[in-house]
Amino acid sequence: MRGDIRTFAGRARSLISRRSTWRDVQLPRSGYPPSKFDTLPIDALPDSELDRLNGLLPWAAFTVDGRGRRFGNAYSSTKRTVPQEIPDKRIVELDQRVGLAGCRVLEVGCFEGIHTAALCSLGADVTAIDSRIENVVKTVVRCALLGYHPSVLRLDLEEPLPSHVDLACDVLHHVGVLYHLTDPVGHLVSISALTQVGLMLDTHVAPEDDGGSERYSSHGEEYRYHRFSEAGRKAPFAGMQDHAKWLHEADIVDLLRSCGFADVDVAERRSERNGPRVLIYAQR
């Protein structure tokens, strides 16, 4: 019995330690360049209430209000330690290409609502989804405190879609998710069928020097992929499974065209710590 209690106590201490690490990131509350985005509801908060807000949830990124104060927190002393911009330049470009005002936008992977709020501010009717319930909560909180009320759902798109959920959209906002999936081809085919106008896709891709020796079948075709190990549910920036399949850029472009997107533009290629990454805009 005593051994069981000690085991439980040890596990509890470990859990508390893991949960509290985000609180140990010490960043200044203020002194950042003030946001140009409308943050009046946050601006009105006293410093003490903003401190409470920043300590309530396991924030892994932060924005800044109109008074140059931090809303959220860095993930660690080395990750997400600078303010995230609202709106992100990629969303500004998406708006210029498709015109977001009045559009139904599906945001796959809402994270903490930073992009969600930007999409709402541009007049979109946003449905935001994420596989992690904590991200759903943080997105609801951030958007509500900025004056926006998107529909936010906990959904893992590698699980069967509940029959009552309608994800049909005009525009798809898809950032930082495809490279976390075990069947990215199947996902792109199914999500493209729900998208009427266009999409923005930002994803890692297989390195060019990858021989493509690993292949898998999806929708009757074989696709090359680069296998990437994932940490699973326990890591906030990882996929939900033990691995992900990174597709080759050319195969993604061909796949989008086969899904009916006549105009596919690889707008940006960049090299990041984990590998190559692309930004793609596509329209029907």
Side-chain angles (χ1 to χ4, degrees):
M1 184 66 164
R2 182 172 296 177
D4 291 341
I5 293 173
R6 287 175 176 173
T7 299
F8 174 80
R11 289 176 177 172
R13 285 193 297 271
S14 176
L15 180 59
I16 291 169
S17 176
R18 289 199 300 270
R19 285 182 173 176
S20 64
T21 52
W22 58 272
R23 295 181 185 273
D24 297 335
V25 181
Q26 300 297 323
L27 291 178
R29 175 204 306 126
S30 58
Y32 304 93
S35 174
K36 297 178 182 178
F37 188 73
D38 182 1
T39 60
L40 287 177
I42 303 299
D43 298 350
L45 290 177
D47 287 349
S48 60
E49 294 302 297
L50 181 58
D51 288 345
R52 287 180 178 273
L53 172 61
N54 289 341
L56 281 174
L57 294 167
W59 302 104
F62 70 97
T63 56
V64 174
D65 71 1
R67 297 166 58 185
R69 300 180 305 166
R70 173 173 51 84
F71 174 17
N73 202 3
Y75 172 67
S76 70
S77 60
T78 59
K79 190 174 183 69
R80 301 292 175 104
T81 58
V82 297
Q84 304 297 297
E85 186 177 8
I86 306 180
D88 185 275
K89 65 179 182 180
R90 294 167 292 185
I91 294 178
V92 174
E93 176 68 18
L94 178 64
D95 185 40
Q96 292 172 349
R97 289 175 181 251
V98 301
L100 292 172
C103 284
R104 296 170 302 163
V105 174
L106 174 62
E107 181 190 12
V108 175
C110 56
F111 187 43
E112 296 186 355
I114 296 172
H115 292 170
T116 319
L119 292 166
C120 290
S121 75
L122 292 168
D125 177 12
V126 181
T127 296
I129 63 176
D130 202 284
S131 60
R132 288 175 165 81
I133 191 63
E134 60 269 32
N135 287 347
V136 170
V137 172
K138 287 184 282 186
T139 294
V140 169
V141 169
R142 186 182 298 279
C143 288
L145 287 172
L146 290 172
Y148 303 111
H149 302 282
S151 175
V152 189
L153 307 172
R154 186 274 166 192
L155 285 176
D156 185 340
L157 291 181
E158 292 203 291
E159 299 173 351
L161 186 66
S163 59
H164 67 279
V165 175
D166 180 10
L167 298 182
C169 64
D170 300 308
V171 177
L172 176 65
H173 178 285
H174 202 300
V175 174
V177 174
L178 189 69
Y179 58 85
H180 287 310
L181 304 181
T182 58
D183 182 15
V185 172
H187 170 73
L188 272 183
V189 170
S190 61
I191 207 76
S192 293
L194 301 173
T195 305
Q196 303 301 311
V197 177
L199 61 80
M200 179 178 79
L201 173 65
D202 194 310
T203 182
H204 279 296
V205 293
E208 285 302 319
D209 57 1
D210 183 270
S213 56
E214 295 197 71
R215 296 172 179 266
Y216 87 110
S217 295
S218 184
H219 288 263
E221 300 286 342
E222 276 204 344
Y223 290 89
R224 303 170 296 161
Y225 71 91
H226 171 74
R227 185 183 177 95
F228 187 83
S229 295
E230 295 279 9
R233 181 64 177 83
K234 63 183 180 181
F237 290 99
M240 302 292 277
Q241 306 299 321
D242 66 345
H243 81 283
K245 297 179 177 70
W246 291 13
L247 299 175
H248 286 255
E249 176 190 316
D251 292 339
I252 293 176
V253 171
D254 289 345
L255 183 59
L256 289 173
R257 286 177 176 150
S258 72
C259 289
F261 294 98
D263 179 9
V264 181
D265 177 20
V266 182
E268 182 178 299
R269 297 180 179 91
R270 58 191 189 273
S271 178
E272 296 190 352
R273 178 173 56 87
N274 288 330
R277 189 159 174 160
V278 296
L279 170 63
I280 297 174
Y281 295 95
Q283 293 178 253
R284 294 199 183 280

